């Protein structure tokens, strides 16, 4: 394995002007709650509403002109990034997703002109379909997390954060397949080896957490969650994001659905930000008091904003919401 800060610097050059710098702002509310300066990196403000544009853009821009088209499996946001990047290059894109992906994400991808295939009920089934398309139709597959160009693209977030705030002590990174955490950790630790990188994910189906504990990639169940973008396995054949997360993450913290709901409400009512469940898990862990006591400025990455608005409105009003077979009890903010 051979992945370093150089790959991330090269990615920054390639995606410059397409998936660019996002605001990095203090949260007075969270700073008060945690007793430490607390900052938010606003990747929800990327053109496709999620950080995944960075990795997808870097991967698509790195392909030779002779490639006829691209395909991927996705929980929604990677597909949107790939669709956007492929459209920029005038390439065909086929995005494979399971039926667990919210309709709002599917619609967003279709609107970018990509072809959508809904297959099965798990990310693994979507991955198999995308691999079949590679062989059958000669498309190039872009993994959502286990690809050096994708990891390098996500790593540019870490560069921006450390350049703006070299004094950061801890970064809280939403964690699923680990492309984001791997890239951010490599960038941040190259600049400040003492920085703590904490991966945060939901309790139900914590694939990277279980895999690191087992010492090798393992399969986990896939469940409905407010953090739908964090669902799915890391791939039993994982080559890059697993070892990078294993070697560079200082800790992994798990949050439950109620904690995610509370954090989405804090984002909305205190920060006035519409953030999807996956993107607030860092905040959720801090609010729930699940983090080690910070010894310097803490930052988290607000990874995306792509959610179903009617469900979001119900949650913000304090109503119960149901996602597939899961019901999350409502709670009025501040009550
Ligand atoms: C994909 C995604 C993540 C997790 O990224 P990984 O690289 O798979 O760990 C977090 N938040 C959002 C909104 C995502 O779309």
């Amino acid at each position: 394995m051979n992945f370093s800060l150089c790959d991330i610097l090269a990615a920054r050059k390639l995606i410059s002007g397409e998936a660019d710098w996002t605001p990095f702002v203090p949260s007075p509310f969270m700073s008060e709650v945690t007793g430490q300066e607390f900052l938010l990196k606003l990747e929800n403000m990327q053109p496709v509403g999620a950080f995944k544009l960075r990795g997808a853009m870097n991967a698509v821009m790195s392909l030779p002109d002779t490639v006829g088209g691209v395909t991927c499996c996705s929980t929604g946001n990677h597909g949107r990034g790939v669709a956007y990047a492929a459209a920029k290059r005038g390439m065909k894109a086929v995005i494979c997703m399971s039926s667990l992906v919210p309709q709002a994400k599917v619609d967003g991808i279709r609107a970018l002109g990509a072809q959508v295939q809904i297959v099965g009920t798990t990310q693994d089934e979507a991955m198999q379909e995308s691999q079949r398309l590679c062989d059958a139709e000669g498309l190039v597959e872009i993994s959502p997390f286990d690809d050096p160009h994708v990891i390098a693209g996500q790593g540019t977030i870490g560069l921006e954060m450390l350049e703006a705030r070299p004094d950061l002590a801890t970064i809280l990174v939403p964690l699923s397949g680990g492309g984001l955490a791997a890239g951010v950790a490599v960038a941040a630790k190259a600049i400040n080896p003492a920085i703590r990188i904490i991966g945060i994910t939901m309790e139900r189906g914590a694939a990277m957490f279980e895999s690191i504990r087992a010492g090798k990639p393992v399969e986990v169940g896939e469940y409905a969650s407010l953090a739908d973008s964090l669902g799915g396995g890391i791939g039993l054949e994982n080559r890059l994001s697993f070892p990078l997360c294993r070697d560079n993450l200082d800790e992994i913290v798990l949050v439950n659905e109620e904690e995610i709901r509370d954090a989405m409400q804090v984002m909305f009512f205190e920060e006035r930000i519409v953030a999807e469940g996956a993107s607030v898990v860092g905040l959720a862990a801090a609010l729930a008091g699940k983090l080690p006591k910070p010894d310097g400025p803490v930052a988290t990455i607000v990874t995306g904003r792509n959610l179903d608005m009617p469900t979001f409105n119900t949650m913000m009003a304090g109503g119960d919401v149901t996602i597939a077979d899961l019901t999350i009890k409502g709670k009025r903010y501040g009550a």
Side-chain angles (χ1 to χ4, degrees):
M1 179 182 50
N2 194 0
F3 182 87
S4 74
L5 183 63
C6 297
D7 299 282
I8 299 169
L9 290 167
R12 170 148 69 181
K13 179 155 180 290
L14 206 54
I15 69 176
S16 159
E18 301 288 357
D20 248 336
W21 182 91
T22 51
F24 190 28
V25 299
S27 164
F29 179 85
M30 287 304 295
S31 302
E32 179 75 29
V33 168
T34 57
Q36 262 302 344
E37 192 182 2
F38 197 103
L39 297 115
L40 307 172
K41 178 67 170 161
L42 299 182
E43 287 296 304
N44 54 310
M45 296 181 76
Q46 288 289 355
V48 300
F51 76 91
K52 288 236 174 51
L53 183 60
R54 296 183 188 245
M57 188 60 81
N58 192 42
V60 169
M61 290 297 174
S62 302
L63 293 171
D65 287 331
T66 48
V67 167
V70 291
T71 181
C72 68
C73 63
S74 173
T75 51
N77 286 331
H78 175 63
R80 200 154 170 163
V82 168
Y84 183 96
K88 282 260 164 190
R89 281 201 69 177
M91 274 180 185
K92 171 183 173 170
V94 185
I95 315 299
C96 305
M97 292 177 288
S98 86
S99 59
L100 275 184
V101 174
Q103 191 59 36
K105 286 191 162 94
V106 176
D107 295 343
I109 291 168
R110 285 216 174 94
L112 290 167
Q115 226 174 290
V116 169
Q117 309 258 27
I118 304 293
V119 267
T121 54
T122 65
Q123 169 83 343
D124 278 351
E125 287 168 87
M127 194 185 302
Q128 280 159 21
E129 172 64 8
S130 146
Q131 275 158 6
R132 193 193 64 77
L133 283 170
C134 285
D135 302 335
E137 299 189 20
L139 303 177
V140 170
E141 192 190 16
I142 301 176
S143 162
F145 48 80
D146 198 28
D147 175 303
H149 289 107
V150 169
I151 296 173
Q154 325 302 33
T156 59
I157 300 169
L159 279 187
E160 288 175 19
M161 293 171 83
L162 269 284
E163 279 169 357
R165 291 297 302 264
D167 60 330
L168 280 183
T170 309
I171 303 181
L172 311 173
V173 189
L175 174 67
S176 174
L180 175 65
V184 167
V186 168
K189 291 195 168 182
I191 297 168
N192 174 13
I195 198 167
R196 288 176 64 78
I197 310 291
I198 304 181
I200 323 268
T201 195
M202 76 286 199
E203 281 175 0
R204 287 159 51 101
M208 186 61 81
F209 175 78
E210 297 295 346
S211 297
I212 290 177
R213 198 152 69 166
K216 61 174 196 306
V218 295
E219 287 193 62
V220 293
E222 198 166 332
Y223 309 97
S225 169
L226 286 173
D228 52 84
S229 289
L230 301 184
I234 68 166
L236 293 178
E237 310 292 308
N238 189 301
R239 288 178 305 144
L240 201 51
S241 69
F242 171 70
L244 286 172
C245 284
R246 179 194 60 202
D247 298 346
N248 289 290
L249 291 183
D250 294 282
E251 199 172 324
I252 297 178
V253 172
L254 308 183
V255 293
N256 64 37
E257 298 296 317
E258 288 71 30
E259 288 162 348
I260 296 171
R261 172 202 63 200
D262 293 349
M264 287 173 77
Q265 288 189 332
V266 164
M267 276 301 244
F268 186 66
F269 288 105
E270 304 294 343
E271 308 294 341
R272 308 293 201 264
I273 291 173
V274 174
E276 59 177 284
S279 74
V280 302
V281 291
L283 220 83
L287 287 166
K290 289 184 164 177
L291 299 174
K293 202 174 159 32
D295 52 359
V298 180
T300 190
I301 303 164
V302 182
T303 47
R305 62 155 188 252
N306 295 324
L307 41 66
D308 179 60
M309 278 313 280
T311 308
F312 180 76
N313 288 338
T314 304
M315 264 176 76
M316 294 307 113
D320 297 355
V321 295
T322 299
I323 310 162
D325 59 349
L326 171 73
T327 297
I328 298 120
K329 279 227 72 67
K331 188 172 150 193
R332 269 192 110 75
Y333 186 67

